[in-house]
Amino acid sequence: MVATLGSGESGGSVYIMDMSGSVDFPTVSLNACGRIGRVASSDRTVWTADCNPDGTQVVLGTNNGAALLNLETGALSWLYRCKSDILSQQFVHSGNVVLCGLRNGSIVSIDVRQRHSNLPRGLASSVTAGRTLPVLSARHSARGRNQADKAKASGIMSSAVCSLVALSSDENYFLGSSMDGSIKLFDLRLIQKGAIQSYAGHVNSHTHLPLVVDPSETLLMSGGEDCTIRIWSIKTGEQIFAQSVADVLFTALCWPESSLNLDGSSSLFDLNHSWGAWMGSRDGLFYMHGT
């Protein structure tokens, strides 16, 4: 799934890229038209999007609220209306709750199983390239304006929330980071009381930097604006790794979920290393590994 911000002339969109077949990377740009399909459009800025675990629903974070797209029926509805941009989103493991991080520092948890307001019939679709696509319009009903009353919110971060990660081992826990470099661990059951763990050392001021967690959910990693990769113990908060591995800012990070390639073969990068992670930058793709 790929989300685009949009521009001054048009809003953002959400696309689905088919990765089920083999990928010929030298010609991937030539084959992109057949692999990528737009599934939703908006007249608003789309800052972020996330797909639920079973791939049936997509949540969109815009400059005036969150919306839910049902990929099976094409229905699009408002989840939450707000005056602050939604910069980060994350479904919890069950897919029943989505976390939304706002520019004003609030983190909102929304139960997607509750009834939400569908878009008016005349605003729900448009025809693009011969296909009917759901369109998220800035107009909304009174019921849509009241969705904030059903959400649980707390101004718990000191600046804009740029990344959220829900832990699958216990979906009550999630990690959040803000633009001022703060990284914290929260318990949804105690969210009004603030964070239960903090992670010091992260450097950020204005960049949308991601947090990533390793498959065992014991390590947390992020790249700072000082071009330094840092790794913390999620449990203790101790920083166990900090190194400038390249003179470049990493804006995309990924822990491999397994040691297998897309075709099922063993990954050459993971055979002799205790751990490894991918890092993306404007200069290229990097791989960092442990001993």
Side-chain angles (χ1 to χ4, degrees):
M1 184 182 62
V2 180
T4 60
L5 279 171
S7 64
E9 298 180 354
S10 62
S13 297
V14 176
Y15 298 80
I16 296 295
M17 182 173 182
D18 183 6
M19 297 291 291
S20 59
S22 59
V23 179
D24 183 6
F25 288 101
T27 61
V28 67
S29 60
L30 299 176
N31 299 330
C33 291
R35 289 181 173 272
I36 299 179
R38 184 163 58 163
V39 297
S41 300
S42 171
D43 64 354
R44 304 285 88 188
T45 300
V46 178
W47 289 106
T48 184
D50 192 33
C51 190
N52 69 347
D54 60 11
T56 59
Q57 293 177 317
V58 170
V59 65
L60 287 69
T62 76
N63 60 326
N64 65 349
L68 185 69
L69 171 65
N70 188 313
L71 292 176
E72 296 177 333
T73 65
L76 187 64
S77 58
W78 283 111
L79 288 177
Y80 176 66
R81 296 288 304 188
C82 59
K83 295 181 179 179
S84 182
D85 299 322
I86 296 179
L87 300 181
S88 54
Q89 289 178 320
Q90 174 76 68
F91 271 103
V92 301
H93 186 65
S94 66
N96 296 328
V97 173
V98 63
L99 303 170
C100 297
L102 279 63
R103 186 184 294 275
N104 64 13
S106 298
I107 297 177
V108 178
S109 62
I110 306 169
D111 191 332
V112 300
R113 296 167 296 181
Q114 293 182 353
R115 185 179 179 182
H116 303 286
S117 57
N118 292 325
L119 298 181
R121 185 181 297 259
L123 301 175
S125 65
S126 69
V127 178
T128 303
R131 296 191 303 138
T132 300
L133 303 173
V135 176
L136 180 62
S137 171
R139 293 176 56 187
H140 56 279
S141 66
R143 180 183 296 169
R145 289 194 298 268
N146 293 331
Q147 290 303 321
D149 297 334
K150 297 181 179 180
K152 298 177 181 178
S154 176
I156 50 179
M157 296 295 281
S158 51
S159 64
V161 183
C162 56
S163 185
L164 292 169
V165 178
L167 301 184
S168 60
S169 56
D170 188 335
E171 62 181 35
N172 289 308
Y173 295 95
F174 68 92
L175 294 150
S177 68
S178 56
M179 288 292 184
D180 64 359
S182 299
I183 303 177
K184 299 180 183 296
L185 176 67
F186 297 95
D187 186 335
L188 273 173
R189 298 162 297 188
L190 304 171
I191 195 170
Q192 300 294 335
K193 295 184 178 181
I196 60 175
Q197 182 69 274
S198 297
Y199 305 87
H202 185 45
V203 177
N204 195 21
S205 63
H206 64 278
T207 310
H208 196 274
L209 295 175
L211 300 177
V212 291
V213 173
D214 76 315
S216 67
E217 296 192 340
T218 58
L219 302 176
L220 162 67
M221 179 171 66
S222 188
E225 286 180 343
D226 56 354
C227 302
T228 297
I229 295 294
R230 292 179 173 85
I231 300 176
W232 296 264
S233 165
I234 293 178
K235 183 177 181 179
T236 67
E238 177 188 3
Q239 184 179 134
I240 58 178
F241 179 88
Q243 185 173 331
S244 179
V245 297
D247 188 21
V248 64
L249 178 64
F250 294 106
T251 56
L253 302 169
C254 175
W255 291 94
E257 294 185 3
S258 72
S259 60
L260 299 180
N261 290 316
L262 291 176
D263 60 2
S265 61
S266 297
S267 171
L268 294 177
F269 295 98
D270 294 328
L271 289 177
N272 301 312
H273 307 141
S274 58
W275 60 269
W278 292 98
M279 306 178 296
S281 72
R282 63 183 301 171
D283 290 348
L285 186 64
F286 294 76
Y287 186 84
M288 181 178 70
H289 61 81
T291 56

